[in-house]
Every structure is written in structure tokens, then in C-alpha cells.
Amino acid sequence: MTHVISLLVENHQGVLVRIAGLFSGRAYNLESLTVGVTTDPAVSRVTLVCSGDDAVIEQIKKQLNKLVDVIKVIDLTGLKSINRELALVKVQAGPERRAEIIQVADVFRARVIDVGADSISLEVTGSTEKIDDLLSIIGTSAVQEMARSGLVSIERGRKTKKTAKGA
Amino acid sequence: MTHVISLLVENHQGVLVRIAGLFSGRAYNLESLTVGVTTDPAVSRVTLVCSGDDAVIEQIKKQLNKLVDVIKVIDLTGLKSINRELALVKVQAGPERRAEIIQVADVFRARVIDVGADSISLEVTGSTEKIDDLLSIIGTSAVQEMARSGLVSIERGRKTKKTAKGA
């Protein structure tokens, strides 16, 4: 089963190495990882997508909690959460295919961000499945270049700011 | 100076540890990092934002090129590129502030993705500066929770698929 784990970490040298090392050393399957700033310059948020059975995930969370630079570990899998990924996709498309690609982009609420002589670049956000669907309709063979951010997630609804540093 | 470096890497165990370790071991300043899949399941794209003087950046690129799992290193800084970041932002906003937040979201082309009793969640994509501007208008004290993806980048216009595996 795939789990989304959100971490608040101190911005110290080497914290990323320790997190990544935890996965590499134990052959846990790390599917994506993003690191972004928060409103506190001393704290970053890391979103991990990893897969494994429940015992493996429990182990991962325990190990993450043990790292000194990790402030909080939240497994968003059981909670109501909002999950989004960003993809920049450059599609091979001469004038004859341009209208079709723009139409597909429109359906997926993707934005056209660049049009070249034989390519169109799209920016799309959504669940991993939505982005995969868009790619399969465009046809992966037509994709010249792609950059995906990996998943970012926040909990839905209830306040978490006050608890964020407490645990 | 801040540089955006895009890497194509083999999906091997430990590649992320080696990349992160390179920054940690040498005290290079790594500002953000994202790892996402590509159309080739064996290859991932890593986007790094790092800062340092030219000699430091040159050193980083050389070290990255030396890693066996790294297929290609592209410094997007001098090139025409499209840079985007995704942010999910949960803003503290009761009914009295809701209209204002939705208006600001509209100006920044952010999407309202959740409305709670005392919060609104926004999804916004754009340059790092655009997202920082949105946050400063909303007021960082009103931000309950935030997850940012870090920068993802692709080269503008010209084809790169054919060269991507060649170098």
C-alpha cells in the first residue's frame, strides 16, 4: 500500500541525507520526495511517498521519528488530506496537432505555458492519477520532456498550526 | 547566485542519498529538491535549486556528473527555461475574511480547493516569487499550514528528448 508521509524538519545540514539514507539502507521503497520551505525559515516540510506493508510503514515512521532534526511525522494516508502534484510537460505538436492538445489541456484544466514551432508546453496540477491520465491521452511517445514535482499534501479542514511544533 | 539544476538519474537504490550527501558533505547550500518520475520508468528527474558562487556551482556540477547513476546534468540557469512551484496553503479565514481571500486567490490564479468553518485551502502554481507575494498579501500569520513542492523546471522550446540520454 502507498503511504504519504509529511515531515516537518529543522533546516540543518544533512537532514535530507539522513532521511534518504534511512530508505536506501533498508531497501524501503521511496516513490517520490519533495522538500519545500514553510512560513518558518528554520523549518522545511518534506513530503514522502513510500510503499510497503503496514509493518514496513510503521518501521519507517518510527525511524523517521528518531531522527533528531525531524520535528513531526504525519502519516496522511488515514486522514482526510489534499494531495497534489505539479507536472510540466513539453509535447511534440506541430500546427496540425496544436488544437487537439489545447483541447485536451482544457479538459484537464492544464495551462498552456509555451508554444514553440513543433511543441506545446503544459502546466498541470492534480492527483498522480489525473496527471497519468493526461499523459496517456496525449501519448507518452509525444512527450518530449517532463518534470514532475512528486506529491505535496496537507491535511484537510482542521487546524494543525498549533500542534505542528508541539509533538 | 541561485542555480536550477535538472538531473536525469537511474532509479537505483541510494541515488538520492548520494546526491544529497554530496551537498551535505561539502556544505553546498541546497535550497530545494524534487524527485519525480519521467515517461521512462527506469529514469527519474531531480530538480535542485542551489546557491553559491560560480566556482562552487561548477564544482557541484562536476561532482554530480561523476555519480554513476546520473545520466545527465543540465544547468538551466543560463538557458531559457520554465520554472514552476506548487504550493498548497491553508489560510485561517472565517466567514468574514472568506470573500477577501477568494478575491486574492483569483488575482493570483490560485484555485480554492477546500473551504472549512474557519479555513480556506488554496492551490497555487507559479514562480517562487509569485508564491511568496501571495503569502505576503495573505499574511504569513494567517497561514495555518503550507506545503510547497520546490521548483520544477524544463527547458523552453527546443527539443531535448533525443539528447537527454546521449550525453
Side-chain angles (χ1 to χ4, degrees):
Chain A
M1 191 183 166
T2 301
H3 282 244
V4 180
I5 296 173
S6 183
L7 304 176
L8 291 171
V9 302
E10 304 267 5
N11 266 344
H12 292 161
Q13 280 288 344
V15 57
L16 205 57
V17 185
R18 284 191 283 277
I19 292 169
L22 202 151
F23 281 82
S24 151
R26 286 153 213 268
Y28 298 147
N29 196 8
L30 183 58
E31 294 181 4
S32 88
L33 181 146
T34 65
V35 185
V37 295
T38 65
T39 46
D40 181 347
V43 175
S44 288
R45 179 184 292 266
V46 178
T47 309
L48 300 170
V49 180
C50 54
S51 58
D53 59 34
D54 286 355
V56 169
I57 300 291
E58 212 44 56
Q59 193 66 24
I60 289 176
K61 287 194 281 182
K62 275 201 189 119
Q63 299 287 344
L64 288 169
N65 261 316
K66 273 189 201 161
L67 297 176
V68 285
D69 297 323
V70 172
I71 301 165
K72 192 179 168 77
V73 178
I74 314 158
D75 185 353
L76 290 167
T77 315
L79 306 171
K80 280 190 188 170
S81 62
I82 299 164
N83 303 297
R84 290 285 189 282
E85 193 177 353
L86 166 68
L88 301 177
V89 188
K90 194 191 295 173
V91 185
Q92 174 136 29
E96 75 293 346
R97 237 203 131 187
R98 211 173 276 158
E100 177 207 337
I101 299 294
I102 292 173
Q103 205 169 38
V104 171
D106 206 42
V107 171
F108 281 84
R109 302 216 294 163
R111 289 170 184 159
V112 175
I113 47 177
D114 192 40
V115 177
D118 63 351
S119 69
I120 294 183
S121 298
L122 305 177
E123 171 200 314
V124 60
T125 57
S127 64
T128 300
E129 293 73 31
K130 177 183 161 182
I131 294 172
D132 288 343
D133 285 352
L134 172 64
L135 292 172
S136 76
I137 287 175
I138 287 172
T140 48
S141 63
V143 174
Q144 283 182 352
E145 205 181 355
M146 176 168 71
R148 289 175 75 154
S149 69
L151 220 55
V152 292
S153 301
I154 58 172
E155 231 181 304
R156 197 177 273 273
R158 76 158 216 236
K159 278 188 235 181
T160 54
K161 192 178 187 181
K162 288 189 185 74
T163 61
K165 297 265 191 107
Chain B
M1 191 181 166
T2 301
H3 281 244
V4 180
I5 297 175
S6 182
L7 304 176
L8 291 171
V9 302
E10 305 266 5
N11 267 345
H12 291 161
Q13 280 287 344
V15 56
L16 204 57
V17 185
R18 285 191 282 277
I19 292 170
L22 202 152
F23 281 82
S24 152
R26 286 153 212 266
Y28 297 146
N29 196 9
L30 182 58
E31 294 182 6
S32 87
L33 181 146
T34 65
V35 185
V37 295
T38 65
T39 46
D40 181 347
V43 175
S44 288
R45 180 185 290 268
V46 178
T47 310
L48 301 169
V49 180
C50 54
S51 58
D53 59 35
D54 287 354
V56 169
I57 300 290
E58 211 45 56
Q59 192 66 22
I60 289 176
K61 288 193 282 183
K62 275 200 190 122
Q63 298 287 344
L64 287 170
N65 262 316
K66 272 189 203 165
L67 297 177
V68 284
D69 296 323
V70 171
I71 301 165
K72 192 177 165 79
V73 178
I74 314 159
D75 185 353
L76 290 168
T77 316
L79 307 172
K80 281 190 188 170
S81 62
I82 299 165
N83 302 297
R84 290 286 189 282
E85 194 177 350
L86 166 67
L88 301 177
V89 188
K90 194 192 295 172
V91 185
Q92 175 138 29
E96 75 293 346
R97 240 203 130 187
R98 212 174 274 157
E100 178 206 335
I101 299 294
I102 291 173
Q103 204 168 40
V104 171
D106 205 42
V107 171
F108 281 84
R109 301 216 295 165
R111 289 170 185 159
V112 175
I113 46 175
D114 191 38
V115 178
D118 63 351
S119 69
I120 293 183
S121 297
L122 305 176
E123 172 200 313
V124 60
T125 56
S127 64
T128 300
E129 293 73 31
K130 177 182 160 183
I131 294 171
D132 288 343
D133 286 351
L134 172 65
L135 292 172
S136 76
I137 287 174
I138 287 172
T140 48
S141 63
V143 174
Q144 283 182 351
E145 206 181 353
M146 177 169 71
R148 288 174 76 155
S149 69
L151 221 56
V152 292
S153 301
I154 58 173
E155 230 180 306
R156 199 178 272 275
R158 78 157 214 235
K159 278 188 237 181
T160 54
K161 191 176 187 183
K162 289 194 184 70
T163 61
K165 298 261 190 114

